Amino acid sequence: MKPKPIGPIPPGYHALGGELAIGGRTASDLVAEAGGTPLFVYSRALIDARIADLRAALPQRIGINYAIKANPHADVIRHMEGLVDGFDIASGGELALATKAGLDPARISFAGPGKRDDELEAAIAAGVTLNCESEGEGRRAIAIGQRLSIAPRIAIRVNPDFELKGSGMKMGGGAKPFGVDADKVSDLARFLMGEGVTWRGLHIFTGSQALSADAIIEAQNNVLNLADELSNEIGEALPKLNMGGGFGVPYFPGDEPVDLNAIGEALHGRMADLPDSLAKTDLCLELGRYLVGEAGVYLCRVIDRKESHGMTYLVTDGGLHHQLAASGNFGTVVRRNYPIAIANRYDTGPEEVVNVVGCLCTPLDRLADKAEMPRGQVGDIVAVFCAGAYGATASPSAFLGHGPAAEVLV
Amino acid sequence: MKPKPIGPIPPGYHALGGELAIGGRTASDLVAEAGGTPLFVYSRALIDARIADLRAALPQRIGINYAIKANPHADVIRHMEGLVDGFDIASGGELALATKAGLDPARISFAGPGKRDDELEAAIAAGVTLNCESEGEGRRAIAIGQRLSIAPRIAIRVNPDFELKGSGMKMGGGAKPFGVDADKVSDLARFLMGEGVTWRGLHIFTGSQALSADAIIEAQNNVLNLADELSNEIGEALPKLNMGGGFGVPYFPGDEPVDLNAIGEALHGRMADLPDSLAKTDLCLELGRYLVGEAGVYLCRVIDRKESHGMTYLVTDGGLHHQLAASGNFGTVVRRNYPIAIANRYDTGPEEVVNVVGCLCTPLDRLADKAEMPRGQVGDIVAVFCAGAYGATASPSAFLGHGPAAEVLV
C-alpha cells in the first residue's frame, strides 16, 4: 500500500513523555481536563511567537491587525488584545464579540460586502471604522449617521486591478463583489467627505493563503503604488491604509513557510522611500490565518479500528463537522492530507498505512487518506494540525447532530 | 454576457399576486412573520405530496423510513411522525431530537461508523435498533447491554461489493469505513445472536443522490439478492431489511426527476417473487433528501446591488453559512447553479444577467453565477430552491459570525 504524504507539522510542537504537548501540557491531560474529545487546543505561546517573529521582521511603523474571523474564540480575542494594533471584523456578530472582549472600537474596522442596516448602525454607534464596499453602502451609512447624529468613520475598500499571485483565494483583479473598483474610488471618497464622514483612508485586499514571498512583495508594492495614486486623485493624504494580508500557512506536503525576512526586507526598503501622500499614513497588515492557523490542534479519539477490503480505517469521534477544510471539502479541488499524528504516541515512527475518518455517515468525512502512522488503537488520540484558523467556525457543526467541539486556549 | 443555466425549480411552487408562494403564503408574508431574512421555509404540503407519490408507486409492504439527518428541524420530525413507518438517526444528538419529538424507539434505527459508548448506551437504553458497523462496535454494544441488563436490538450494516451507479455519494463497492464487508456478515451475525442480542436483520446502503431509475432498480435487485444470500448463510430469516435509499432530487440544469413509477413497477415484480428467506421480512426504504429536499426554500434579501468591471452583483444577507451546497463548496468539483428566483417578482421573466452572492467576505460565497433573472433591487427577496435537505445543518452557520438562519414549517 503506497502511502500518501501528509502535510508538514508546524514548528513548536514537541513530545513530552512520548505524547504531543501543547503549551507544556500533554494531549491526554488537556483532553481529560476538557472532559473529552473532540477538542480544539490553541497555544498562547505559538501565537506569541508568531507575532514576535512578525514584529522582528516588519518595519516598526507597519501595524498588525487581527482578522477575528480566523478564530473568534473569546479567549483568543482577549489574548490578541495586548499583542496586535487593531482588529478586523466581518459581521455584527463579530462586533458583539469584540465589544464583549472590551476591545477599543477606535482600533476596529468592519469589512464585508453585505452589511445590513442594523450592522451598520451598531458599528457607527460604537465608533468602528467601516470599510465601505459600495456607493450604496456609503449612502446607507451616511443616512444612519445622520439619524444617530454621529459622523461615521469610513474607509473605502478597493477592488484593485491586480491580484495576489498564487493565493488560495483571489480577492482582486477583475470583477468582484468586494470593494469598489479602483477607478471609482476617488469620486466616492470625495462624495463621502463632502457628506461629512470621518475619512479613514483605504483598505486594499488582494488575496489570501499565499506562500510565495515574491508574490506577497509584489502585491504589497502594487498596493502602496495604488494607494499613492488614489490618494493623489482624491487630493488628500490617507489617514490609514490597510494593506491586506495574504500570508499563508503550509497545510500540505511540499508547502514551504512564507519567507518573512524577505518580506520584511522589501518593506523596510519601501518605507525608506515612501511618497508624500503616504508619509504620515497609518499603515497596517491585516492577518488572520497567519497569526493563529498553526497555533491550533484538533484532537479527536479513535472509536473503532476496522478493516475493509484490505484497508485499515481508524474511525474517530471527530470529523468534517469540526474540521471541514481538513476533509478537503471546502473550496478544494483535489483532496490532500493535512498534517496529522497519533498524539499519545507522538515520538513513535510510522508502523502502518491507515485511513483516518470522522464519525459522520458520509464518504466525505475523511481526516487522512493512506497516512503512515504508528499503529492506531481504540482510545488513541488523533491530532490534526493547522486547526487554529477557519476550523471550529468554518465547519458545519450541526451536521448529523454531533454538536460543536470544545475549544481551549492554553 | 452569456448566462449560465440554473437548475430546475421543483414542482409545486406557484405565484400568488406575482410573488412566490409556499404553503399558500407569499414569501414576503412569511419573511415578515418570521421577523426577517435569512429564512428557511419548509412546506408540509410538498412533503405530504412526495410521500403520497411514493406510497402510490411502491408495493404496500415496503415501508418508508425518514433519515432525520436530511432535515432535523423539530417541526419536520413531528410532521413526519404520522407519515412514515420508521426513522433513522445518525448520532446521539439525533436520538435526543427523536425522543423529544416523542417518536416510538421501536421504529428508530441508528447508523454511523463512529458511535461513542455514551451514544450506544443511550440507544440501547431507549430500545433503538443499532445498525452495527463493525465487530468492535458489536462487542461494545454487548458489554453495555450486559451492564444495563438489556438485550440490545442489533441489525448489521453491510458494506456490499456493489455500488449504486451514478450516485452522488457511493456508499458501497470496495473498501469503506461504513458497515461490515459482506463476506464477514454471517460470522458476525451468528456471534451477536450467540451473545443474546435481539436480532434485527440487515441494513444495506449503496449510495445516495441517484437520478437514474435503472441504476436504483439494479441496486435494489442486488440488495435483495445479497440479503437472501446472507440470510441463508446466517441460517435465519431476516426480521427486517433496510434496503437503503439513494433516490436523488434534481438540483442542476439538465437533471431529471427520478422515475418513481419505473422503480415501483420493478419492486412490485420482485415482491411477487421473493425467496423464502425474505418472505416475512419487514422491508423498508430509508429516504431523507428525497422526502424533504425539494420541499424547502431558502429566502434571503438583497442588501446591495453593485457593478464591478461590467458585472452586476446582487449581494444578499444570506450565503454559504446557511446553504453551503448551493455555493458549490461541499464535495463538489464543478460549481453549477441551483434553481433560484426573485421571490417577490416570481412571475416576471428574465431581464438581466447577474451574479447573486452572499454577505460573506470570501469569493466562495456564491449563490448564482451569471443567472438570468428579473432585475434585482435592494430589498428584493431571493429564493434558492432545493433547500429542504442538508441546508441549515450542513452549513457552517458560525462562519464569520452572522449566525444561523431562522427555519419555519408551513
Side-chain angles (χ1 to χ4, degrees):
Chain A
M1 176 86 47
K2 195 173 170 335
K4 289 189 183 171
I6 62 169
I9 292 179
Y13 293 98
H14 304 286
L16 189 65
E19 277 200 54
L20 170 67
I22 308 160
R25 314 269 311 278
T26 62
S28 55
D29 269 3
L30 291 164
V31 166
E33 190 169 302
T37 48
L39 174 69
F40 284 94
V41 183
Y42 312 123
S43 161
R44 281 188 176 87
L46 292 180
I47 294 172
D48 293 353
R50 175 55 50 94
I51 293 174
D53 287 348
L54 272 162
R55 296 287 189 196
L58 297 177
Q60 209 179 345
R61 70 167 287 185
I62 296 188
I64 299 172
N65 278 18
Y66 176 54
I68 285 177
K69 60 176 170 278
N71 186 329
H73 189 262
D75 292 342
V76 172
I77 295 174
R78 270 191 294 265
H79 183 66
M80 287 291 186
E81 208 275 336
L83 294 174
V84 299
D85 304 293
F87 291 87
D88 297 285
I89 58 173
S91 68
E94 289 189 356
L95 174 58
L97 292 176
T99 306
K100 202 170 166 194
L103 304 184
D104 176 5
R107 295 166 69 196
I108 302 176
S109 59
F110 180 7
K115 302 183 193 82
R116 298 186 312 266
D117 280 357
D118 63 305
E119 295 180 300
L120 290 174
E121 178 165 337
I124 292 167
V128 160
T129 294
L130 300 171
N131 291 340
C132 176
E133 308 260 354
S134 74
E135 185 187 330
E137 184 181 293
R139 288 181 185 276
R140 289 191 291 132
I142 289 164
I144 290 166
Q146 283 167 351
R147 184 158 50 74
L148 301 178
S149 300
I150 300 173
R153 297 161 61 88
I154 300 190
I156 293 177
R157 179 171 176 179
V158 183
N159 175 28
D161 292 335
F162 52 85
E163 64 181 34
L164 172 52
K165 286 178 191 155
S167 57
M169 287 188 199
K170 298 189 197 317
M171 308 289 276
K176 288 281 178 295
F178 311 110
V180 176
D181 287 358
D183 61 0
K184 296 175 193 156
V185 167
S186 59
D187 282 352
L188 179 58
R190 282 191 295 257
F191 165 74
L192 292 170
M193 284 187 264
E195 295 288 325
V197 312
T198 302
W199 174 237
R200 295 300 300 144
L202 300 175
H203 173 208
I204 308 179
F205 190 56
T206 55
S208 70
Q209 182 51 21
L211 294 172
S212 155
D214 287 348
I216 292 170
I217 291 165
E218 183 190 310
Q220 288 176 339
N221 281 327
N222 288 335
V223 163
L224 289 166
N225 294 342
L226 177 59
D228 175 39
E229 276 170 43
L230 291 173
S231 172
N232 290 326
E233 274 182 42
I234 295 165
E236 183 114 14
L238 294 178
K240 181 159 177 125
L241 173 63
N242 179 333
M243 302 169 62
F247 296 32
V249 303
Y251 286 107
F252 302 117
D255 282 359
E256 295 282 346
V258 169
D259 182 346
L260 208 50
N261 291 327
I263 295 170
E265 266 178 46
L267 282 172
H268 275 285
R270 278 305 296 253
M271 292 306 108
D273 187 31
L274 277 184
D276 288 352
S277 66
L278 300 175
K280 292 183 179 167
T281 299
D282 182 4
L283 300 172
C284 76
L285 295 176
E286 174 181 334
L287 300 167
R289 187 196 310 268
Y290 191 69
L291 302 189
V292 294
E294 291 167 286
V297 179
Y298 175 62
L299 301 176
C300 52
R301 201 180 280 279
V302 178
I303 295 291
D304 203 356
R305 177 190 169 93
K306 61 195 286 191
E307 310 285 326
S308 172
H309 292 265
M311 274 301 311
T312 301
Y313 290 87
L314 301 180
V315 184
T316 69
D317 62 1
L320 69 78
H321 53 310
H322 302 146
Q323 258 294 49
L324 182 60
S327 78
N329 290 296
F330 195 28
T332 312
V333 177
V334 178
R335 193 197 175 283
R336 290 175 295 169
N337 286 329
Y338 268 44
I340 191 168
I342 303 282
N344 51 307
R345 259 172 298 138
Y346 192 61
D347 57 2
T348 304
E351 296 169 337
E352 65 177 1
V353 176
V354 293
N355 291 330
V356 185
V357 301
C359 60
L360 303 186
C361 223
T362 163
L364 300 176
D365 195 15
R366 298 186 281 174
L367 294 174
D369 286 347
K370 297 181 187 164
E372 270 194 295
M373 313 254 282
R375 187 182 158 85
Q377 284 160 354
V378 171
D380 280 346
I381 299 171
V382 168
V384 182
F385 294 89
C386 295
Y390 302 115
T393 59
S395 302
S397 63
F399 194 39
L400 271 55
H402 290 277
E407 298 174 86
V408 61
L409 176 71
V410 297
Chain B
M1 177 85 49
K2 192 172 172 332
K4 287 189 184 171
I6 62 169
I9 292 178
Y13 293 98
H14 306 285
L16 187 67
E19 275 201 55
L20 171 66
I22 308 160
R25 316 270 310 279
T26 63
S28 55
D29 269 4
L30 290 164
V31 166
E33 190 169 299
T37 47
L39 174 67
F40 285 93
V41 184
Y42 311 123
S43 161
R44 279 188 178 86
L46 292 180
I47 293 171
D48 293 352
R50 175 54 50 94
I51 293 173
D53 288 348
L54 272 163
R55 297 285 189 197
L58 297 177
Q60 209 180 344
R61 70 167 284 184
I62 297 188
I64 298 172
N65 278 18
Y66 176 54
I68 284 178
K69 59 178 171 276
N71 187 329
H73 189 262
D75 292 344
V76 172
I77 294 174
R78 270 191 293 265
H79 183 65
M80 287 293 184
E81 208 273 335
L83 295 173
V84 299
D85 304 294
F87 291 87
D88 296 284
I89 58 173
S91 66
E94 288 189 357
L95 174 60
L97 293 176
T99 305
K100 203 170 164 191
L103 305 184
D104 176 5
R107 294 167 68 196
I108 302 175
S109 59
F110 180 7
K115 302 183 193 83
R116 297 186 312 268
D117 280 355
D118 62 306
E119 295 179 300
L120 290 175
E121 178 165 338
I124 292 167
V128 160
T129 294
L130 300 171
N131 291 340
C132 176
E133 309 261 354
S134 73
E135 184 188 330
E137 187 182 292
R139 288 180 184 275
R140 289 192 291 130
I142 289 165
I144 291 167
Q146 283 168 348
R147 184 158 50 73
L148 300 178
S149 301
I150 300 173
R153 295 161 63 87
I154 300 189
I156 293 177
R157 178 171 177 181
V158 182
N159 175 28
D161 291 335
F162 52 86
E163 63 181 36
L164 173 52
K165 285 178 191 157
S167 57
M169 286 188 199
K170 299 189 197 316
M171 308 289 275
K176 289 282 179 294
F178 311 111
V180 176
D181 287 358
D183 61 1
K184 296 175 195 157
V185 167
S186 58
D187 281 351
L188 180 57
R190 282 192 294 256
F191 166 73
L192 293 171
M193 284 188 265
E195 295 288 325
V197 312
T198 302
W199 174 237
R200 295 302 299 147
L202 300 175
H203 172 208
I204 308 180
F205 190 55
T206 56
S208 70
Q209 181 52 21
L211 294 172
S212 156
D214 287 347
I216 293 171
I217 291 166
E218 183 189 313
Q220 289 177 339
N221 281 327
N222 288 336
V223 163
L224 289 167
N225 294 342
L226 177 59
D228 175 39
E229 275 171 43
L230 290 174
S231 173
N232 290 327
E233 273 183 43
I234 295 166
E236 184 116 13
L238 295 178
K240 183 159 175 123
L241 172 63
N242 180 332
M243 301 170 61
F247 296 31
V249 303
Y251 286 106
F252 302 117
D255 282 358
E256 296 283 349
V258 169
D259 183 346
L260 209 50
N261 291 327
I263 294 169
E265 265 179 49
L267 282 173
H268 275 285
R270 279 306 296 252
M271 291 307 108
D273 187 31
L274 277 185
D276 288 350
S277 66
L278 301 175
K280 292 182 178 168
T281 300
D282 181 5
L283 299 173
C284 76
L285 294 175
E286 174 180 333
L287 299 167
R289 186 195 310 268
Y290 190 68
L291 302 189
V292 294
E294 291 167 284
V297 180
Y298 175 63
L299 300 175
C300 52
R301 201 180 279 280
V302 177
I303 296 290
D304 203 356
R305 179 190 167 93
K306 61 194 289 190
E307 311 284 327
S308 173
H309 293 264
M311 273 304 308
T312 302
Y313 291 86
L314 301 180
V315 184
T316 70
D317 63 0
L320 70 77
H321 52 313
H322 302 146
Q323 258 296 46
L324 182 60
S327 79
N329 290 296
F330 195 28
T332 312
V333 176
V334 179
R335 192 196 175 287
R336 292 176 293 171
N337 286 329
Y338 266 45
I340 190 168
I342 303 282
N344 51 307
R345 260 173 297 138
Y346 192 61
D347 57 2
T348 305
E351 295 169 339
E352 65 177 2
V353 177
V354 294
N355 291 330
V356 185
V357 301
C359 60
L360 303 186
C361 224
T362 162
L364 300 176
D365 196 15
R366 299 186 279 173
L367 293 173
D369 284 349
K370 298 181 185 165
E372 270 195 296
M373 313 253 281
R375 188 182 157 83
Q377 284 160 355
V378 171
D380 280 345
I381 299 171
V382 168
V384 182
F385 295 89
C386 295
Y390 303 115
T393 58
S395 302
S397 63
F399 195 38
L400 270 56
H402 290 276
E407 298 174 85
V408 62
L409 175 70
V410 296

